[in-house]
Amino acid sequence: MSDTQEMKRRAGESAADLVEDGMVVGLGTGSTAAAAIRALGDRVDSGLDVAGVPTSYQSRELAREAGVPLTTLADVETLDIAIDGADQISGSDLVKGGGAAHAREKYVDAAAERFVVVADPSKTASVLDHPVPVEVLPDAKPVVADTVRNLGAEPALREAERKDGPVVTDNGNLVLDCDFGELSNPGATALDLDAVPGIVEHGVFPSMADEVHLGTDDGVTVEYP
């Protein structure tokens, strides 16, 4: 296991240790969230009683393999805790969507009483400057791309790997990765994107992280932004 993978494992396991008997847990998407799901599965094997709300096909299948019982947000309405990764972290502000699951991640993470972000230190930044993933309705792509350019970003259609054509989300939509440069005011950028017709959801998560667990070479650093 590489050093980075080990850091991700430590972060995921640290967050999974926060889960208590009877909790409903939001299950994020990505390699670090996957470490948390596997750790939860181990605890379920040892008798922990929890229910998970997955944010993607990937997290749902991994939870099933790990033995974590599943439910839906419609059935529980609120969650005790959500554990998810991020593409970039600055304080409580995040950019997410590298796995194209940010639409479901956002409403699951927002429904949780406590949103815990898990990552390795390479994901932190003083100012967010990661391209913002924007999920768009396929027919709206040209209009959304033009509007995003007017907002000062350069959009690029995300192409799939190992297959021809673009990435298609679990919701059947396309993803534009929009490079705004530095996001000096993530909340304002989020509001600008919220107002664009044709955008299903974007990857700016302003002031959403309650707690950040960063895996390090020798342990985990916990931050409360």
Side-chain angles (χ1 to χ4, degrees):
M1 183 179 292
S2 71
D3 290 345
T4 299
Q5 289 174 318
E6 184 66 19
M7 290 177 187
K8 292 178 178 181
R9 182 190 64 78
R10 289 183 180 128
E13 291 180 354
S14 175
D17 283 344
L18 301 174
V19 179
E20 299 177 359
D21 212 47
M23 281 188 170
V24 180
V25 186
L27 305 176
T29 301
S31 56
T32 315
I37 294 172
R38 293 188 188 99
L40 276 178
D42 291 340
R43 295 190 63 200
V44 169
D45 284 343
S46 299
L48 183 70
D49 178 22
V50 298
V53 177
T55 56
S56 65
Y57 176 85
Q58 177 193 42
S59 60
R60 182 172 66 248
E61 290 305 297
L62 180 58
R64 284 174 174 165
E65 291 173 10
V68 178
L70 298 178
T71 185
T72 67
L73 193 58
D75 289 332
V76 298
E77 295 186 1
T78 60
L79 292 83
D80 297 289
I81 189 171
I83 302 171
D84 207 348
D87 297 312
Q88 195 172 54
I89 305 164
S90 178
S92 62
D93 300 321
L94 314 170
V95 172
K96 291 177 50 55
H102 50 286
R104 298 187 187 189
E105 288 173 332
K106 187 172 280 187
Y107 66 69
V108 169
D109 296 343
E113 294 291 331
R114 184 181 185 186
F115 175 28
V116 179
V117 179
V118 291
D120 66 88
S122 70
K123 303 297 186 181
T124 62
S126 57
V127 179
L128 296 177
D129 60 5
H130 192 284
V132 176
V134 175
E135 182 172 346
V136 300
L137 297 170
D139 288 348
K141 180 182 77 68
V143 175
V144 171
D146 285 344
T147 305
V148 167
R149 288 189 187 97
N150 290 335
L151 292 174
E154 186 54 44
L157 180 65
R158 188 181 299 181
E159 296 291 340
E161 297 180 6
R162 297 189 296 276
K163 71 175 282 291
D164 293 334
V167 165
V168 177
T169 71
D170 286 358
N171 306 314
N173 300 312
L174 304 178
V175 177
L176 294 174
D177 290 311
C178 302
D179 191 351
F180 286 88
E182 290 190 353
L183 299 180
S184 57
N185 188 336
T189 301
L191 288 174
D192 286 341
L193 293 171
D194 287 341
V196 179
I199 290 180
V200 175
E201 190 54 87
H202 57 81
V204 183
F205 285 48
S207 302
M208 284 189 63
D210 295 311
E211 199 169 317
V212 178
H213 288 228
L214 295 174
T216 65
D217 287 330
D218 55 4
V220 176
T221 299
V222 179
E223 299 178 355
Y224 301 93

